[in-house]
Structure formats: C-alpha cells, structure tokens
Amino acid sequence: MYFYTAPQFQYEIDGAIKRPGIYESLPNESVADLVDYAGGLKAKAQHKLVIFRFEPELETSDSKNPANALYTHRDKAGEISIQNVNRIMAYSTPDYT
C-alpha cells in the first residue's frame, strides 16, 4: 500500500529561473527546495532572491498589495520557510554591453 501526501501549497517562481512556473510543495520545504525544483537559477541570474510573503493583516488595510518582500542570498534560501510565501523571483544580471 502506498500513502501519498498531497501538496498543500502553490507558489509562483519566475524571473531568471530555468523552469519558471507554478509549483506545489509540502509545508516542511524551504525556499531553496522550490528554486531547485524549478531547475535552479539561470547562468546570468543574480544570486539574490526576492520572496514575496502574503500578509493577512495587510489584506484588510488600504494596501493594494497584501504582501511584503524579503531579499535574501541564494545560499541562505535553505534557511527560509515557505510559510506564507506566494512568489519567489530571481533577477538577471544586467548586460551593459
């Protein structure tokens, strides 16, 4: 008999990610796990991630966007819980040539 634990959360991962899209995960996974599921960062990606967290208390305020942004280095993403995260973005390094 096989027991399957259904994913409970969906996240958007976009920007300089190899396979951007909507991903599902379990509650014990980290931001780094989700980035890895999406194929990791592209070669020209900055190693800084922007994590948008949904803030329920902002939803009832006059704010048009009930989320806060958290900036972190890719190496530290394994320490960040995905709780209340609804979007992860990686920016490309600018090409000034």
Side-chain angles (χ1 to χ4, degrees):
M1 182 179 287
Y2 177 75
F3 292 97
Y4 173 72
T5 303
Q8 298 178 356
F9 305 99
Q10 287 189 335
Y11 306 93
E12 177 184 8
I13 305 175
D14 64 354
I17 299 288
K18 290 181 181 174
R19 292 188 311 264
I22 305 293
Y23 288 84
E24 295 180 336
S25 73
L26 299 172
N28 60 339
E29 294 175 312
S30 70
V31 169
D33 293 330
L34 294 177
V35 171
D36 290 344
Y37 295 154
L41 300 175
K42 288 183 177 179
K44 290 192 173 194
Q46 295 180 13
H47 288 267
K48 187 186 299 181
L49 299 173
V50 185
I51 302 160
F52 296 94
R53 289 187 181 271
F54 175 72
E55 299 289 347
E57 63 273 4
L58 293 178
E59 190 172 42
T60 58
S61 71
D62 291 335
S63 175
K64 292 181 179 151
N65 183 11
N68 283 329
L70 168 69
Y71 294 83
T72 188
H73 194 274
R74 170 64 179 91
D75 293 343
K76 300 287 186 183
E79 302 169 12
I80 300 174
S81 165
I82 57 170
Q83 184 178 5
N84 294 332
V85 170
N86 60 349
R87 185 174 183 211
I88 301 168
M89 176 177 272
Y91 292 105
S92 293
T93 304
D95 184 9
Y96 295 113
T97 59

